[in-house]
């Protein structure tokens, strides 16, 4: 349903429509009226009756594109592009492929698009960075996204929170007339109670503002007494005749309304409306002096752009200004939202590099580039209408990721910048090129980087959660360091590594025990740190030959334990070989439970069992 506020035009009366040919006349008429669901059915009949051609395939693809049926749209774009097409068709095909996660195939279509329209911003961005998806996937997670109480089985979007009232647009009123584009009822503006526990209840239509046409979304002033909202130009009995299609079209207009007691009244259209273009999706700054909106008015870079207009002290308006190429592209940019401090603009774009469909971006209006908010805010589907209430610390997002336009709650992730500095524990010297990993509380490695010339590695993690840093470097004992829970904004970890100083006797290399987990033979991180010492000793003594003996505890049968210890010995040997030691210098032998370190019989404690699960290193030569 949000496509209504991207394409921004509605059909009132369609008398006759010029068809591609007689056989497509009925389908073309429905398509021209934006009744895409029924249009697709008619085009499919032509396919079934062997009356299809590239035109029919493209019209089918466009019908499904406009209702965001990505699978069917991609299917018919594939058929239509078997013959040469215009640049925008290749672009839309690529968007539908991305929406289905088929990025490699999407890139093939983007290459065709870029060849056909080399001066298009979208083509230039693709040529500069065609394989941008891994970068987007690696972006820091900024928000948690959860389903909200407001979603229905119809389109719900454009939610915005003022005080303790949530306003949004919805097609949930089943008694309303059905709109042919989406086969859903017309949109109304709704409001609901936002409760202290974060639940949302008592959704009701705002009858003072709703008409028999589409109404919403809405934006409200800081004092709650003034609102701007989108509706149709039919409200002003205005429409535009399309001579080619011989049809009347409504536009989307912006209207201003003020509170009269507990009700909205005095609804008037803004003076910069025009029956030849649309204005929609308003967002008002907290000081009430600037209104951001989307429009296809003359001067737009693409189909729909984001604009702003000054609101003067006397209530008049300045000249609308296009936000320029840092925000707008030859595609569609819509659903602007200005942050409470007036510094950050959030908006949805189909023209900037994203995961597919619409993605949400933010830009610092004082300077800088627009940034994709990454996952989970954005998905391969349409994600749009991002809003945020800084007082409540909660935001809302609209998305069709579950197949229908739904409202999702958004909570910012509290982040801490953790600076790790790796040094020599004895001298304090900075250690560059050390391997530094950060792990979560389940010991999952989140990321690994090498320390820079200053011995530094920086990670951003979530607030008030436990993390562990692992650091290692050739010639030094690897170690782990706890990251203290913090609410931000920063934390420092001093990762001081001890130079390897191993006790080497005539017969043995003595290390801390190389423990294994119960019933397992894999090398643990703690074990790897110790084995690295063996590697260092063997690199320093290139003729040394070692025998690794692995042992088990006394649980299990003698036969099982012998086999388990043999696997552990082989794991130990393979680890050392993986570090560059020749295989003829290291061998392993499983001893089972024959040589316990602690002879505790059947009464061993868990600690004693762990001590018996070990490896030892004998110098053979």
């Amino acid at each position: 349903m949000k496509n209504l506020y991207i394409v921004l035009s509605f059909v009132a009366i369609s008398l006759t429509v010029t068809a591609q040919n007689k056989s497509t006349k009925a389908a073309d008429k429905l398509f021209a009226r934006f009744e895409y669901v029924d249009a697709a059915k008619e085009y499919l009949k032509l396919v079934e009756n062997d009356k299809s051609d590239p035109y029919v395939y493209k019209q089918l693809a466009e019908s499904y594109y406009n209702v965001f049926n990505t699978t069917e749209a991609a299917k018919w774009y594939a058929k239509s592009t078997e013959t040469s097409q215009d640049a925008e068709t290749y672009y839309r095909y690529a968007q539908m492929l991305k929406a289905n996660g088929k990025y490699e195939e999407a890139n093939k279509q983007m290459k065709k698009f870029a060849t056909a329209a080399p001066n298009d911003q979208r083509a230039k961005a693709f040529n500069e960075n065609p394989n941008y998806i891994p970068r987007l996937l690696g972006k820091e997670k900024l928000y948690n996204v959860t389903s909200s109480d407001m979603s229905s089985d119809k389109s719900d979007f454009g939610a915005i929170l003022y005080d303790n009232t949530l306003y949004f647009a919805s097609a949930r009123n089943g008694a309303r007339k059905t709109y042919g584009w989406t086969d859903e009822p017309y949109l109304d503006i709704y409001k609901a109670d936002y409760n202290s526990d974060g639940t949302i209840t008592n959704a009701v239509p705002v009858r003072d503002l709703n008409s028999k046409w589409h109404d919403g979304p809405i934006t409200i002033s800081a004092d709650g007494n003034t609102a701007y909202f989108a509706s149709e130009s039919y409200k002003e009995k205005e429409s535009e005749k399309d001579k080619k299609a011989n049809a009347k079209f409504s536009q989307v207009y912006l209207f201003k309304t003020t509170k009269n007691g507990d009700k909205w009244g005095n609804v008037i259209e803004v003076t910069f409306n025009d029956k030849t273009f649309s204005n929609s999706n308003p967002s008002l700054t907290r000081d009430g002096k600037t209104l951001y909106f989307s429009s296809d008015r003359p001067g737009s870079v693409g189909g729909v752009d984001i604009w702003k207009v000054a609101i003067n002290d006397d209530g008049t308006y300045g000249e609308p200004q296009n936000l320029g190429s840092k925000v707008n592209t030859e595609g569609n940019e819509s659903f602007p939202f200005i942050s409470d401090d007036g510094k950050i603009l959030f908006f949805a774009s189909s023209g900037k590099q994203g995961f597919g469909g619409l993605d949400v971006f933010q830009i610092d209006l004082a300077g800088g580039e627009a940034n994709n908010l990454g996952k989970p805010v954005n998905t391969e589907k349409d994600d749009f209408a991002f809003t945020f209430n800084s007082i409540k610390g909660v935001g809302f997002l609209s998305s069709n990721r579950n197949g229908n336009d739904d409202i999702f709650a958004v909570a910012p992730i509290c982040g801490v910048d953790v600076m790790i500095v790796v040094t020599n524990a004895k001298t304090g010297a900075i250690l560059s090129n050390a391997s530094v990993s950060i792990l979560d509380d389940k010991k999952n490695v989140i990321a690994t980087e090498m320390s820079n010339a200053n011995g530094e590695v920086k990670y951003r993690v979530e607030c008030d959660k436990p993390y562990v840093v692992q650091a290692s470097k050739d010639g030094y004992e690897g170690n782990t360091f706890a990251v203290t829970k913090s609410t931000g904004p920063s934390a420092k970890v001093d990762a001081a590594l001890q130079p390897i100083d191993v006790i080497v006797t005539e017969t043995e290399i003595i290390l801390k025990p190389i423990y294994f987990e119960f019933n397992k033979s894999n090398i643990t991180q703690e074990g790897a740190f110790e084995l690295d010492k063996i590697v260092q000793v063997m690199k320093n003594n290139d003729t040394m030959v070692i025998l690794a003996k692995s042992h088990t505890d006394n649980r299990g049968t003698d036969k099982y334990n012998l086999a388990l210890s043999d696997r552990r010995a082989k794991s130990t040997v393979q680890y050392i070989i993986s570090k560059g030691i020749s295989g003829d210098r290291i061998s392993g032998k499983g001893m089972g439970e024959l040589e316990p370190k602690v002879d505790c019989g059947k009464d061993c404690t868990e600690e004693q069992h762990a001590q018996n699960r070990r490896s030892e290193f004998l110098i053979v030569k």
Side-chain angles (χ1 to χ4, degrees):
M1 183 69 79
K2 76 275 160 189
N3 285 329
L4 305 175
Y5 292 92
I6 298 172
V7 177
L8 299 171
S9 40
F10 303 98
V11 175
I13 302 170
S14 181
L15 302 177
T16 61
V17 178
T18 302
Q20 175 72 5
N21 55 54
K22 289 183 179 180
S23 64
T24 65
K25 183 176 181 180
D28 288 338
K29 185 175 182 180
L30 290 166
F31 187 92
R33 293 170 62 103
F34 301 158
E35 297 181 19
Y36 297 117
V37 174
D38 290 335
K41 293 177 183 177
E42 292 299 318
Y43 289 123
L44 283 173
K45 289 179 183 178
L46 298 177
V47 174
E48 293 167 359
N49 294 325
D50 294 324
K51 294 182 179 181
S52 56
D53 56 21
Y55 171 80
V56 171
Y57 298 146
K58 182 177 176 180
Q59 290 298 94
L60 261 172
E62 296 285 300
S63 297
Y64 287 120
Y65 175 90
N66 282 306
V67 295
F68 207 77
N69 184 331
T70 60
T71 302
E72 289 299 309
K75 172 183 174 181
W76 296 107
Y77 276 130
K79 293 286 291 182
S80 70
T81 54
E82 289 175 357
T83 57
S84 180
Q85 291 290 346
D86 60 283
E88 199 63 27
T89 297
Y90 294 122
Y91 184 81
R92 290 190 173 194
Y93 184 17
Q95 290 291 96
M96 294 298 95
L97 288 168
K98 282 195 291 184
N100 290 308
K102 298 179 179 179
Y103 296 112
E104 188 173 342
E105 294 178 40
N107 275 3
K108 293 178 182 178
Q109 300 306 315
M110 282 299 295
K111 288 178 182 177
K112 294 180 181 179
F113 165 72
T115 300
N119 294 322
D120 191 296
Q121 287 186 51
R122 297 168 293 175
K124 292 178 180 178
F126 172 77
N127 286 332
E128 289 172 3
N129 189 12
N131 300 309
Y132 63 89
I133 291 296
R135 176 179 58 81
L136 288 187
L137 290 172
K139 286 178 73 72
E140 173 193 341
K141 182 180 175 183
L142 299 175
Y143 298 90
N144 284 320
V145 176
T146 56
S147 298
S148 77
D149 301 331
M150 278 299 91
S151 296
S152 69
D153 61 345
K154 298 294 190 295
S155 288
D156 306 287
F157 66 95
I160 193 160
L161 180 62
Y162 287 93
D163 293 330
N164 295 313
T165 303
L166 186 77
Y167 292 86
F168 61 100
S170 179
R172 65 182 60 197
N173 189 345
R176 292 286 303 279
K177 179 182 176 182
T178 298
Y179 184 59
W181 184 320
T182 57
D183 211 23
E184 285 192 352
Y186 279 68
L187 293 167
D188 276 342
I189 299 171
Y190 277 74
K191 67 177 182 178
D193 296 330
Y194 182 80
N195 305 310
S196 58
D197 61 356
T199 58
I200 304 168
T201 55
N202 303 324
V204 295
V206 183
R207 301 195 184 280
D208 309 340
L209 301 179
N210 292 325
S211 66
K212 63 179 180 179
W213 313 110
H214 289 292
D215 299 291
I218 191 171
T219 184
I220 300 174
S221 62
D223 62 10
N225 292 324
T226 302
Y228 291 86
F229 68 99
S231 187
E232 296 194 49
S233 61
Y234 294 133
K235 194 185 290 279
E236 296 299 310
K237 298 182 180 179
E238 292 183 12
S239 59
E240 182 74 3
K241 181 74 174 289
D242 187 318
K243 293 182 179 179
K244 185 177 180 180
N246 195 19
K248 280 187 177 181
F249 291 82
S250 167
Q251 299 291 352
V252 181
Y253 276 7
L254 291 179
F255 293 85
K256 178 182 178 181
T257 181
T258 52
K259 272 281 184 71
N260 183 9
D262 292 332
K263 294 187 176 182
W264 294 102
N266 191 32
V267 176
I268 56 174
E269 66 166 307
V270 300
T271 57
F272 52 90
N273 285 331
D274 191 288
K275 65 180 182 179
T276 62
F277 55 79
S278 287
N279 301 311
S280 189
N281 302 314
S283 180
L284 184 65
T285 55
R286 296 286 78 199
D287 61 11
K289 294 182 178 181
T290 307
L291 184 70
Y292 291 83
F293 61 99
S294 55
S295 179
D296 60 345
R297 65 196 300 116
S300 293
V301 176
V304 176
D305 280 7
I306 295 173
W307 295 69
K308 68 177 181 178
V309 65
I311 303 173
N312 302 318
D313 292 340
D314 61 0
T316 59
Y317 303 95
E319 185 67 26
Q321 299 177 14
N322 188 289
L323 265 61
S325 60
K326 284 197 172 183
V327 171
N328 297 312
T329 70
E330 289 85 348
N332 292 313
E333 280 71 41
S334 193
F335 299 98
F337 173 75
I338 187 67
S339 62
D340 288 348
D341 60 10
K343 296 179 180 179
I344 305 297
L345 180 75
F346 298 88
F347 63 97
S349 174
S350 68
K352 293 186 179 294
Q353 291 187 327
F355 292 103
L358 290 169
D359 272 22
V360 178
F361 291 77
Q362 70 175 36
I363 186 169
D364 186 336
L365 295 176
E369 300 297 324
N371 293 311
N372 188 300
L373 291 190
K375 293 198 173 212
V377 170
N378 292 317
T379 65
E380 289 73 19
K381 307 302 181 183
D382 274 338
D383 308 289
F384 58 101
F386 181 99
T387 66
F388 193 80
N389 185 304
S390 60
I391 296 174
K392 302 285 188 183
V394 65
F396 295 90
L397 167 75
S398 302
S399 176
N400 66 359
R401 64 189 63 185
N402 293 332
N404 192 54
D405 290 344
D406 289 327
I407 295 169
F408 294 81
V410 173
I413 294 174
C414 177
V416 179
D417 290 319
V418 179
M419 177 65 77
I420 302 105
V421 181
V422 187
T423 60
N424 182 316
K426 286 190 175 180
T427 66
I430 292 297
L431 297 181
S432 61
N433 295 317
S435 176
V436 180
S437 301
I438 191 160
L439 291 75
D440 62 18
D441 57 351
K442 295 180 181 178
K443 296 186 177 181
N444 296 313
V445 176
I446 300 171
T448 300
E449 291 187 22
M450 306 302 289
S451 60
N452 62 20
N454 297 318
E456 298 170 340
V457 173
K458 185 177 179 181
Y459 291 114
R460 188 167 178 83
V461 298
E462 292 187 45
C463 291
D464 204 29
K465 285 190 175 182
Y467 294 89
V468 170
V469 167
Q470 291 179 343
S472 61
K473 181 178 173 64
D474 283 349
Y476 293 82
E477 297 181 17
N479 207 346
T480 60
F481 306 88
V483 179
T484 305
K485 286 185 180 182
S486 174
T487 56
S490 61
K492 184 179 179 182
V493 174
D494 292 317
L497 301 183
Q498 292 286 347
I500 288 178
D501 188 12
V502 186
I503 299 174
V504 181
T505 69
E506 291 184 0
T507 58
E508 186 179 2
I509 299 175
I510 301 174
L511 304 177
K512 294 178 182 177
I514 308 298
Y515 294 136
F516 291 90
E517 296 178 16
F518 172 66
N519 203 29
K520 293 183 179 180
S521 59
N522 59 290
I523 302 298
T524 65
Q525 181 63 69
E526 292 78 6
F529 287 155
E530 288 302 307
L531 291 178
D532 285 342
K533 298 177 184 179
I534 292 283
V535 173
Q536 191 65 43
V537 170
M538 296 185 76
K539 285 182 177 180
N540 294 339
N541 301 272
D542 57 10
T543 60
M544 182 180 286
V545 179
I546 298 294
L547 169 65
K549 294 173 66 177
S550 291
H551 307 265
T552 69
D553 58 35
N554 61 13
R555 290 177 287 191
T557 65
D558 292 348
K559 182 179 180 182
Y560 177 83
N561 283 336
L562 192 61
L564 177 61
S565 65
D566 192 55
R567 292 198 302 271
R568 289 174 173 171
K570 288 179 178 177
S571 293
T572 300
V573 169
Q574 289 301 306
Y575 180 85
I576 293 174
I577 292 173
S578 75
K579 294 296 183 176
I581 301 301
S582 174
D584 59 9
R585 296 180 58 204
I586 177 76
S587 60
K589 184 177 182 180
M591 303 302 296
E593 58 184 85
L594 296 176
E595 298 179 359
K597 187 175 183 66
V598 182
D599 191 1
C600 46
K602 295 182 179 180
D603 299 319
C604 296
T605 64
E606 284 300 320
E607 182 180 352
Q608 290 169 330
H609 280 309
Q611 290 182 57
N612 287 333
R613 297 191 300 271
R614 70 198 189 282
S615 288
E616 296 173 321
F617 304 92
L618 305 181
I619 299 174
V620 176
K621 179 181 176 183

